[in-house]
Amino acid sequence: MNRVNPRLTLLTASGVCSLIVLDTNIVAVTLPTIARDLGANFADIEWVVSAYMLAFAALLLPAGSIADRFGRQKTLLCGLSLFILASIGCGAAPNALFLDMARAIKGVGAALLLTSALASIGHTFHDEVERAKAWAFWGACMGVAMTAAPTLGGLITESIGWRWIFYLNLPVGLLLMAMVWRAVPESRDPQSARLDPWGSLAFSGSLLCLIWGLIEANRIGWSNPITYARLIGGALLLGLFVVIERLQRRPMVDLQLFRHPRFIGALLGMFAYAGCAQVMMTLLPFYLQNGLGFSAIASGLGMLPFALTMLICPRIGVRLSSRFAPATMMASGLALVGGGNLLSAWAVGSGGYLPFALAIAVTGAGAGLLNGDTQKNIMACVPRERTGMASGMSTTMRFSAIVLAIGVYGALLSSHTEHLLRGSLSAQGTQWLDQAQGIASRVVAGDMAAAMSLLPDSAQPLIEPLARQAFVGGFTLLLAVAGGLGLLGALVVGTLMRHPIPLAGSAPAVAATRRARA
């Protein structure tokens, strides 16, 4: 095998990950436009994001095993092929259901890509200093992609149409395939576990039931027996997954690692970061468009304070990590995220863009400190030959948190908006109360025109400001809950991460232990 420049391998793997991050975040500013074009309500729009995230999160663990067993280069090439084909399907979607299905297939390709790309980086760089630099570069690439995504999405949507945010993945994907072929050496774990179809099905089914229950609860009712059945079924399937993994000789998830508080803290740090900070890249543009009336491109530009601080802070984090223990870094990042979300809730309630921009800049700063640190701390807890498993576990936590957060925050936003709107409508009389659910669902999705079409022309000037005010109230609650969860995460993760690293004897373990004792 020809020797490959490690830096070129890092560039290629980071490029693959950047494509996924760009594609994930570029959709956010286009969702209201997609809702108007396809006649979709808020539940339909939630599925545009959740179908992708659900397939992504559910298949990350088996994708890690596939990368370990069959080779990271082969998995990258297969994942890119699937990702490109599904992107074409998304661009050509005639309705919301077709778009959701194509997005789910795209999530499968993204899962194959991300785990194998991260495993390639972990396998290539094993010196502690070089690995830290590699993850810092990877984090910077993710930051650039996140920074560019909202503005690029708004620009494409307003200039040539939202479908081109998917079509443009074709040339980019083909370029990355050529780079993978040349720059990523084949690597695998010769002792990798057999594929675990039953465990994969149990975990996938658990996420599906939970997110299905959360998204559909506002439509069919939280007291509906079907809602209870979906949520309880999700919890039972998650328990079944644990039982299945305990019975495996070499499981897809090494449950022995969960005996170590340090490892649990690292995973919870990833979960809290994704569920309180990264998910905001999807949700904040809804406020900019629905609450402040921004266009798609203006809302993309409006996200720059968040994206820029998220881009800058990983470099600051690299310098600070040499002086402070990982527990301090993780807790500080989550505290900034929690505080930023609480400030955003205040800014949304007070109105105006400037205070909102300053608040989301604080959230972005916390996200920037956490972006590379979370991944690094998890990977440090496992042997080098099981980097595929570690990357699968860490990214599963990341995207499981995002998909569950979208379900939870979406449920809060939709239900509280409807509750506030019903209160406002009842003060005006009872003749429009029957339309409250339909109005709220379309307002939250960003289609005010469709919401107002449910009312007679004479009532629209009166109801439109009430609907917008109800949305702002719902979004304030969403941000307040996210802020509280971020601060709670800072406390719990900071406590757990102060325990010694589980893998004593390895170079990363020794260094991390020294920092923890410092």
Side-chain angles (χ1 to χ4, degrees):
M1 180 184 298
N2 294 330
R3 298 190 65 180
V4 178
N5 187 334
R7 295 187 178 184
L8 191 57
T9 302
L10 174 62
L11 178 63
T12 303
S14 298
V16 169
C17 294
S18 297
L19 174 64
I20 298 169
V21 170
L22 184 68
D23 183 81
T24 301
N25 291 287
I26 202 173
V27 173
V29 297
T30 69
L31 290 175
T33 304
I34 293 173
R36 292 190 291 269
D37 191 33
L38 299 182
N41 59 28
F42 185 60
D44 296 329
I45 290 303
E46 280 189 284
W47 277 116
V48 172
V49 178
S50 297
Y52 173 83
M53 292 291 187
L54 182 62
F56 198 175
L59 292 174
L60 280 169
L61 289 175
S65 295
I66 290 171
D68 279 344
R69 186 175 180 84
F70 297 106
R72 284 89 188 228
Q73 186 196 61
K74 290 186 181 68
T75 308
L76 280 169
L77 292 172
C78 291
L80 279 169
S81 300
L82 197 58
F83 194 86
I84 291 170
L85 292 174
S87 295
I88 297 172
C90 290
N95 52 52
L97 178 60
F98 190 97
L99 178 59
D100 293 342
M101 293 172 63
R103 290 278 290 169
I105 296 171
K106 197 174 185 180
V108 176
L112 294 173
L113 288 176
L114 193 60
T115 51
S116 48
L118 293 176
S120 296
I121 295 173
H123 185 270
T124 302
F125 297 91
H126 16 98
D127 176 77
E128 182 195 357
V129 175
E130 292 300 317
R131 178 175 284 193
K133 291 180 180 178
W135 287 123
F137 178 81
W138 174 85
C141 290
M142 300 304 98
V144 169
M146 290 180 186
T147 303
T151 304
L152 184 60
L155 181 63
I156 293 173
T157 299
E158 292 201 357
S159 58
I160 55 178
W162 64 266
R163 296 180 185 276
W164 282 93
I165 67 173
F166 300 113
Y167 287 143
L168 288 176
N169 286 332
L170 175 59
V172 176
L174 291 175
L175 174 62
L176 285 172
M177 287 184 76
M179 293 178 67
V180 167
W181 183 261
R182 291 179 56 87
V184 178
E186 188 62 281
S187 61
R188 58 174 55 88
D189 176 9
Q191 297 180 337
S192 62
R194 294 180 301 167
L195 297 182
D196 182 7
W198 296 113
S200 300
L201 284 173
F203 186 77
S204 303
S206 172
L207 281 181
L208 175 60
C209 288
L210 290 173
I211 194 64
W212 196 8
L214 290 169
I215 290 178
E216 295 295 319
N218 287 313
R219 185 178 61 83
I220 65 175
W222 285 93
S223 60
N224 193 306
I226 296 177
T227 299
Y228 287 124
R230 288 168 179 166
L231 296 178
I232 294 172
L236 291 176
L237 284 171
L238 186 60
L240 178 62
F241 168 74
V242 173
V243 172
I244 291 171
E245 293 305 294
R246 287 179 65 89
L247 296 176
Q248 298 289 333
R249 179 174 298 177
R250 188 170 168 83
M252 194 167 51
V253 174
D254 187 357
L255 297 177
Q256 298 295 321
L257 288 169
F258 287 90
R259 296 181 177 181
H260 302 286
R262 177 66 169 272
F263 182 73
I264 295 173
L267 282 181
L268 288 178
M270 175 69 84
F271 194 88
Y273 153 63
C276 298
Q278 194 173 1
V279 70
M280 292 303 162
M281 294 295 289
T282 298
L283 296 176
L284 292 177
F286 277 94
Y287 170 70
L288 293 173
Q289 294 187 49
N290 301 352
L292 296 180
F294 283 20
S295 64
I297 189 169
S299 65
L301 292 170
M303 288 295 295
L304 282 177
F306 183 104
L308 288 174
T309 52
M310 192 171 183
L311 176 64
I312 294 168
C313 285
R315 296 188 177 185
I316 299 174
V318 171
R319 296 182 179 180
L320 292 177
S321 62
S322 63
R323 301 181 181 180
F324 298 99
T328 303
M329 294 296 298
M330 294 279 280
S332 299
L334 288 172
L336 281 173
V337 166
N341 282 329
L342 291 177
L343 287 172
S344 297
W346 168 80
V348 167
S350 64
Y353 173 69
L354 182 58
F356 180 75
L358 295 174
I360 64 175
V362 176
T363 308
L369 290 179
L370 293 166
N371 192 33
D373 233 31
T374 48
Q375 185 74 28
K376 179 180 66 178
N377 286 323
I378 293 171
M379 299 291 275
C381 293
V382 299
R384 181 189 170 201
E385 67 273 8
R386 298 232 67 191
T387 53
M389 180 201 70
S391 65
M393 292 178 70
S394 64
T395 47
T396 295
M397 291 299 288
R398 180 192 295 258
F399 290 100
S400 295
I402 293 174
V403 73
L404 290 174
I406 287 173
V408 171
Y409 297 153
L412 282 174
L413 175 60
S414 184
S415 62
H416 197 58
T417 299
E418 182 181 343
H419 172 73
L420 293 175
L421 182 60
R422 283 185 181 277
S424 299
L425 291 177
S426 63
Q428 304 296 325
T430 59
Q431 64 267 42
W432 300 305
L433 281 176
D434 291 341
Q435 304 295 336
Q437 183 180 22
I439 294 171
S441 178
R442 285 165 175 79
V443 167
V444 172
D447 195 353
M448 181 65 77
M452 293 299 100
S453 69
L454 300 174
L455 299 168
D457 292 342
S458 59
Q460 291 179 13
L462 175 65
I463 303 303
E464 181 173 345
L466 299 179
R468 200 176 298 277
Q469 183 179 4
F471 169 80
V472 170
F475 210 86
T476 300
L477 177 64
L478 181 162
L479 289 168
V481 170
L485 291 175
L487 295 179
L488 178 62
L491 178 63
V492 173
V493 171
T495 302
L496 292 173
M497 286 285 293
R498 295 193 183 279
H499 288 75
I501 205 162
L503 293 179
S506 66
V510 173
T513 303
R514 288 175 180 171
R515 286 198 299 271
R517 291 174 178 171

